[in-house]
Amino acid sequence: MCGICCSVSFSVEHFSKDLKEDLLYNLRRRGPSSSRQLLKSAVNYQCLFSGHVLHLRGVLTAQPVEDECGNVFLWNGEVFNGVQVEAEDNDTQVMFSSLSACKNESEILSLFSKVHGPWSFIYYQASSHCLWFGRDVFGRRSLLWQFSNLGKSFCLSSVGAQISGGADQWQEVPASGIFQIDLNSAAVSRCVILKLYPWKSISKENVAEECANELTQTPAELPEFVSVVINKANLYLSKPIVPLNKTLPEVPLETQCRNSSSVPGSRETLEILLRDEHTQRIVQQFIDVLSVAVKRRTLCLAREENLASKDVLKTCGKKANIAILFSGGVDSMVIAALADRHIPLDEPIDLLNVAFLPKQKAGLPIPNVERNQQNHCEIPPEESSPSTAVPQGPHDAEVPDRVTGKAGLKELQSVNPSRTWNFVEINVSLEELQKLRRARICHLVQPSDTVLDDSIGCAVWFASRGIGWLVTEDAVQSYKSSAKVILTGIGADEQLAGYSRHRARFQSLGLEGLNEEIAMELGRISSRNLGRDDRVIADHGKEARFPFLDENVVSFLNSLPVWEKVDLALPRGVGEKLILRLAAVELGLSSSALLPKRAIQFGSRIAKLEETNEKASDKCGRLQILP
């Protein structure tokens, strides 16, 4: 995980040798291990590159990196597959070496088509005076652009800064492909032409259709002097996933358990389905491919020797390297169970469970606690307040996600009692929410700006910060998660019809309508979710990893006809995400397998804390940045 930035100026009076202080601060929070800047000047333009690294694997490689030809590279990503990266290698160096060896545009596109994993990048090609940049096919890493209203400068950055007023706003770079800018041409013409190399499906019959749709995904708010054009050679990136199987059944489907004597929504319903040999085989294949995805995301990091004293180790054990955003729902439970397979047994796993305190409970006294000296740490000054100096009391927040989270903890403990499961109770008061939304969160969520973005962004920010309580039979300890990697279940609902709108679409348009809804969900996940969540989680110097969006997982699910993944004729809590629920049963998680979908804004109760008469799609006034 890194904070990457490139500021380009076409005029001397608009050029600065330093980034603005607030932008630099936001970038450094993403990459606390190393910070460096590099200036490249040409006759018609100047580029200031700024790189901020969160060291996770291989040798620490400061960014930006430059080769002997003057090419410059900024990389915010992880190579999990597709391009060979050995355990001791640093993927920034591997990618830059491969990129420097590319002789033409086609080879550059071929390289990025191969990479499996989340990424955004900025690459300056000195010989052609071109700037390349883009995001992976799902947009799992944030990248923003900002164009000056005068057309004399522009900036690319992982994260924006607070700006009031209507001009020069930050916008997300669409995850529709890789862009290229000819800097010399832009300087002379004072027109920035964004040449797009779009993602296209490997399936030949979809190429023309997708090409026609790519330009519609670029934002309409670009200034007049900025335009997007498809590259004239019609070169493209090959999507690293197979197309969605939209096959429809030749005859109406009969669900085995609907004709049985089982109670709809019971454990027996899932067990009956698993008696079918074909179903069991597909479920096992799903478990296998998802397990490999989790393995790549839990073992792809340097595990430091624990340097804590022996006395501390006796009371606290080793520190956790992996945390999971944890509600106790089926998505997070399956990820936790699979992570348990691969993380060393003597290493704890942090389960981060967030709750927002009702107003009437915000003033409850905080009990005396025994401090966990290993993981408790000082809160930065801008985050301290009466409610953050010590976390809110551990017993104040029995919200729905806390209840299911505790039940999920017991289920995981029964599956593997030898593992230390750190269930971190993160309680947030209204005062703390309002203070830190203004101080930190609002500019991270933007340019997303709805009530839903506010609720999810704030909930994920507090959860991933990891400051809370460990409550056990023996002690209550204040705790801060030390894990640099956070696993999240995003992508499961989009692919497996987890939202109520999937059921509504199925009821009105059947399986054909459901297929179209699933295709749309995955197509827009970059703009609706992932850029926002990446900015929010990375603000703590942590990296979000998304096992359900592993390219092999998505390809496997895309290859199945929809009825082998979901059955929305079955009740809520069973039919949606059916294949995942069956996998949970196979993993020994039978109770959590039957929990219906509950969005984080409702499960954590943040949606009940402030305005309650808002619609999720309304523009959120609380996110507006004041001068």
Side-chain angles (χ1 to χ4, degrees), residues 589-604:
L589 309 172
S590 51
S591 297
S592 52
L594 293 166
L595 290 175
K597 162 72 180 176
R598 187 171 54 232
I600 190 172
Q601 65 270 28
F602 302 118
S604 68

Side-chain angles (χ1 to χ4, degrees), residues 86-102:
E86 302 297 339
E88 65 278 5
D89 289 341
N90 179 274
D91 57 353
T92 303
Q93 287 289 6
V94 170
M95 286 299 297
F96 190 36
S97 297
S98 302
L99 202 50
S100 296
C102 291

Side-chain angles (χ1 to χ4, degrees), residues 145-195:
W145 57 28
Q146 178 197 49
F147 297 93
S148 79
N149 210 30
L150 300 173
K152 295 181 178 179
S153 64
F154 71 90
C155 190
L156 300 166
S157 180
S158 297
V159 63
Q162 296 192 10
I163 296 176
S164 58
D168 301 352
Q169 292 297 307
W170 292 96
Q171 300 170 343
E172 284 196 332
V173 173
S176 48
I178 286 178
F179 295 88
Q180 184 207 73
I181 299 175
D182 184 327
L183 297 177
N184 264 343
S185 175
V188 172
S189 66
R190 291 297 166 96
C191 293
V192 177
I193 298 175
L194 300 164
K195 190 190 294 185

Side-chain angles (χ1 to χ4, degrees), residues 7 36 129 137 213 223 255 257 322 401 429 476 503 511 527 591:
S7 178
R36 191 161 75 181
H129 298 277
V137 69
N213 293 333
T255 303
C257 56
I322 302 291
D401 277 1
S429 68
V476 177
R503 194 172 284 273
L511 289 179
S527 57
S591 297

Side-chain angles (χ1 to χ4, degrees), residues 303-546:
R303 281 176 157 76
E304 299 171 6
E305 287 298 316
N306 198 303
L307 301 178
S309 70
K310 290 181 180 178
D311 290 339
V312 171
L313 285 173
K314 283 178 185 175
T315 58
C316 306
K318 295 181 72 171
K319 71 175 186 178
N321 288 298
I322 302 291
I324 299 168
L325 295 186
F326 188 77
S327 66
V330 66
D331 308 357
S332 58
M333 285 292 290
V334 168
I335 286 176
L338 294 177
D340 178 53
R341 288 183 170 187
H342 306 296
I343 295 172
L345 189 56
D346 62 345
E347 187 178 300
I349 297 175
D350 285 349
L351 307 175
L352 308 179
N353 183 276
V354 67
F356 290 82
L357 299 180
K359 295 175 187 177
Q360 66 270 24
K361 289 189 177 181
L364 286 179
I366 297 171
N368 292 325
V369 297
E370 173 189 328
R371 291 297 175 114
N372 178 337
Q373 294 298 325
Q374 180 195 1
N375 287 313
H376 178 77
C377 55
E378 294 299 317
I379 299 164
E382 83 282 353
E383 296 181 19
S384 63
S385 71
S387 57
T388 57
V390 176
Q392 287 292 322
H395 300 296
D396 295 345
E398 291 301 304
V399 302
D401 277 1
R402 182 62 47 81
V403 174
T404 54
K406 287 179 177 178
L409 171 65
K410 289 181 179 177
E411 199 162 31
L412 290 171
Q413 287 171 333
S414 67
V415 169
N416 187 359
S418 301
R419 169 78 63 191
T420 298
W421 301 96
N422 289 332
F423 185 75
V424 187
E425 298 187 20
I426 298 161
N427 299 333
V428 186
S429 68
L430 177 61
E431 177 193 8
E432 185 177 21
L433 168 64
Q434 292 175 338
K435 178 183 177 70
L436 291 178
R437 180 196 281 121
R438 287 193 301 270
R440 293 295 325 146
I441 304 170
C442 60
H443 78 273
L444 299 169
V445 173
Q446 289 195 356
S448 302
D449 62 359
T450 68
V451 170
L452 183 65
D453 291 314
D454 172 54
S455 295
I456 296 175
C458 290
V460 172
W461 190 88
F462 280 104
S464 55
R465 185 176 68 159
I467 295 177
W469 300 87
L470 292 182
V471 182
T472 64
E473 293 178 0
D474 304 321
V476 177
Q477 300 176 326
S478 67
Y479 183 83
K480 179 170 182 179
S481 173
S482 60
K484 287 184 180 180
V485 169
I486 296 181
L487 302 181
T488 165
I490 194 166
D493 289 309
E494 287 77 5
Q495 297 178 81
L496 299 174
Y499 296 118
S500 57
R501 56 183 175 266
H502 288 110
R503 194 172 284 273
R505 190 76 181 268
F506 170 73
Q507 288 169 349
S508 61
L509 295 171
L511 289 179
E512 187 174 3
L514 181 58
N515 272 329
E516 295 303 324
E517 189 75 16
I518 289 171
M520 182 187 71
E521 290 282 5
L522 208 54
R524 68 182 184 178
I525 196 170
S526 63
S527 57
R528 282 178 66 91
N529 305 87
L530 292 171
R532 176 200 65 210
D533 290 356
D534 174 74
R535 291 189 295 277
V536 165
I537 292 172
D539 191 55
H540 303 295
K542 300 181 181 187
E543 178 171 286
R545 293 182 176 177
F546 312 99

